Amino acid sequence: MSSWLNSLYRYDAFQKVDRAYQARTSSGGVLSILALLVVVVMLASETREYLRYQHTHSFTIDSEVQQKVQINIGLTVAMPCNFLRVDVLDASGTSENIHSSITTRPVSQHLKFAGVQRSVNQAADLHVHDIFAQANKRRRKSTVDGKGSACRIEGSVLVGKVSGLLHVTAHGHGHGGAYVPRHMLNFTHHIDELSFGPLYPSLVNPLDDTLHFANHSVAAFRYFISVVPTLYIDPAGRRLPTNQYAVNEYYKAKSDSADADGKPPGVFLEYSFESIAITIQEHRASFLVFLVRVCAAVSGFFVTIGLVHRLVVSLTGSVFGIKNGGSKAHVGILDSKHPSRADIDVPLSRK
């Protein structure tokens, strides 16, 4: 066995140099310390890059155009519930029956229209794993006291995957019913929830938790919403189907000739569905890739710094005649105060 192991020595690709033939210099020590610091920084950078989540976006044609889509709404209007009506009408002229799925109840105005609110399209940019975590949370609690001069409208309604309009108006303005005097109109409203697809109450959408004030009794708020079907896939392979949307808002009061175009006052949510679906997949680099990157970066840096050091020493010796140790070059054993083993074992050649 020992003879077989000894035969392996000839294949050693990492040959060692005897310490007697190695020279340590102050410049090499400085470079070694600097190299160690750089390697620590490189290792920290590679570790941070390994721990960082990466996202891959892919786009496909939406093949589920025949399916119904659920609209989830939570809206509080600064008017009594018996003044309001809610309707949904799509581009095909189909009016959805929402009376069984949308509920209204009175709330106090000061509970919903006080405090600092978010701005439209101010939703945080979350990672996919954060979106999964929020989707699994329970429904956000809404403060409802059962009495007051405001009306809380909430529920979900199924609509066709075509452009449509969900609007909240007053009786007698654009629709039948008992006429509500104009001076009693107030379409100041707070949007608690507006989402498309399965309801994930803790996910924050662009219009969620936004407050909109009407500075005139006859006012119209219009929101133009573009909905994009979205599928999230986390590193564990779990899938979360939902819909993202972008929104533009438009406000018009009577002083701006709101009645001139024949549009009634109210809150109008005009939505349309894009034909392109997005798949967002989150992943990390494998641990093997991380090890390869670290080894390549560290070894490459040490090789480079070694070549630089040899070049500097060679140029210094050629120009100034200085050895590695920082003194003038000596010839022979008698010129050195502390002869090395190499000087003793290897005699000088004679002419």
Side-chain angles (χ1 to χ4, degrees):
M1 176 65 80
S2 59
S3 60
W4 179 78
L5 291 176
N6 291 333
S7 64
L8 293 178
Y9 292 160
R10 72 184 72 178
Y11 302 107
D12 186 6
F14 307 97
Q15 300 180 13
K16 286 73 179 174
V17 179
D18 195 285
R19 288 184 176 272
Y21 301 99
Q22 298 178 5
R24 300 180 181 272
T25 63
S26 57
S27 60
V30 171
L31 285 178
S32 297
I33 295 175
L34 292 178
L36 181 60
L37 295 177
V38 173
V39 166
V40 171
V41 173
M42 294 173 63
L43 182 60
S45 177
E46 290 294 338
T47 303
R48 184 179 61 180
E49 186 67 23
Y50 166 69
L51 296 176
R52 180 181 302 170
Y53 287 97
Q54 301 177 3
H55 297 90
T56 302
H57 295 70
S58 58
F59 302 88
T60 57
I61 301 298
D62 184 17
S63 60
E64 300 179 351
V65 294
Q66 301 298 329
Q67 293 187 358
K68 292 277 189 176
V69 177
Q70 179 175 291
I71 300 179
N72 311 296
I73 184 170
L75 178 69
T76 304
V77 183
M79 292 173 61
C81 291
N82 58 341
F83 286 5
L84 300 172
R85 62 175 294 159
V86 184
D87 298 276
V88 177
L89 182 67
D90 63 25
S92 64
T94 303
S95 180
E96 301 291 343
N97 181 14
I98 65 173
H99 301 289
S100 60
S101 56
I102 298 294
T103 60
T104 60
R105 46 185 167 171
V107 296
S108 177
Q109 287 196 26
H110 77 273
L111 295 177
K112 300 304 298 182
F113 304 114
V116 179
Q117 310 293 328
R118 290 177 55 253
S119 299
V120 176
N121 291 320
Q122 202 181 22
D125 187 13
L126 300 176
H127 293 287
V128 172
H129 64 277
D130 296 325
I131 294 175
F132 271 84
Q134 289 195 6
N136 293 327
K137 290 182 180 179
R138 292 179 294 178
R139 176 185 292 271
R140 293 192 297 264
K141 294 183 178 180
S142 59
T143 305
V144 178
D145 59 0
K147 59 183 179 179
S149 57
C151 182
R152 163 81 175 179
I153 303 168
E154 61 182 346
S156 300
V157 58
L158 288 175
V159 299
K161 220 171 190 180
V162 294
S163 300
L165 173 66
L166 188 156
H167 56 281
V168 180
T169 55
H171 290 294
H173 296 267
H175 297 279
Y179 181 78
V180 179
R182 289 192 174 188
H183 70 277
M184 300 182 68
L185 299 178
N186 183 4
F187 281 101
T188 296
H189 60 281
H190 181 275
I191 301 177
D192 300 287
E193 169 86 32
L194 182 66
S195 61
F196 296 81
L199 176 59
Y200 305 113
S202 293
L203 283 182
V204 179
N205 297 281
L207 280 174
D208 289 0
D209 196 24
T210 56
L211 180 61
H212 310 265
F213 285 100
N215 55 17
H216 197 279
S217 59
V218 181
F221 296 85
R222 307 187 76 88
Y223 301 95
F224 302 94
I225 302 170
S226 180
V227 184
V228 180
T230 305
L231 175 64
Y232 294 103
I233 304 176
D234 72 353
R238 296 180 299 171
R239 303 165 76 88
L240 182 72
T242 183
N243 294 273
Q244 299 183 93
Y245 65 84
V247 59
N248 292 313
E249 58 179 337
Y250 174 72
Y251 171 75
K252 197 171 188 180
K254 181 180 179 180
S255 58
D256 300 325
S257 301
D259 295 332
D261 55 3
K263 297 293 179 64
V267 179
F268 301 86
L269 303 169
E270 300 185 23
Y271 57 88
S272 61
F273 294 91
E274 300 294 334
S275 59
I276 295 178
I278 302 177
T279 300
I280 303 176
Q281 186 170 7
E282 184 178 70
H283 58 87
R284 279 178 174 171
S286 67
F287 186 70
L288 180 60
V289 172
F290 167 70
L291 288 181
V292 171
R293 288 174 60 93
V294 169
C295 293
V298 173
S299 60
F301 177 76
F302 271 111
V303 170
T304 302
I305 202 69
L307 292 175
V308 171
H309 181 245
R310 289 191 184 94
L311 180 61
V312 171
V313 170
S314 177
L315 292 177
T316 303
S318 300
V319 177
F320 302 103
I322 298 178
K323 291 173 57 180
N324 293 344
S327 59
K328 294 291 183 178
H330 301 288
V331 179
I333 186 174
L334 298 179
D335 293 329
S336 177
K337 294 182 179 180
H338 303 286
S340 65
R341 178 180 171 184
D343 293 329
I344 298 174
D345 294 345
V346 182
L348 296 176
S349 60
R350 297 181 179 180
K351 295 183 179 179

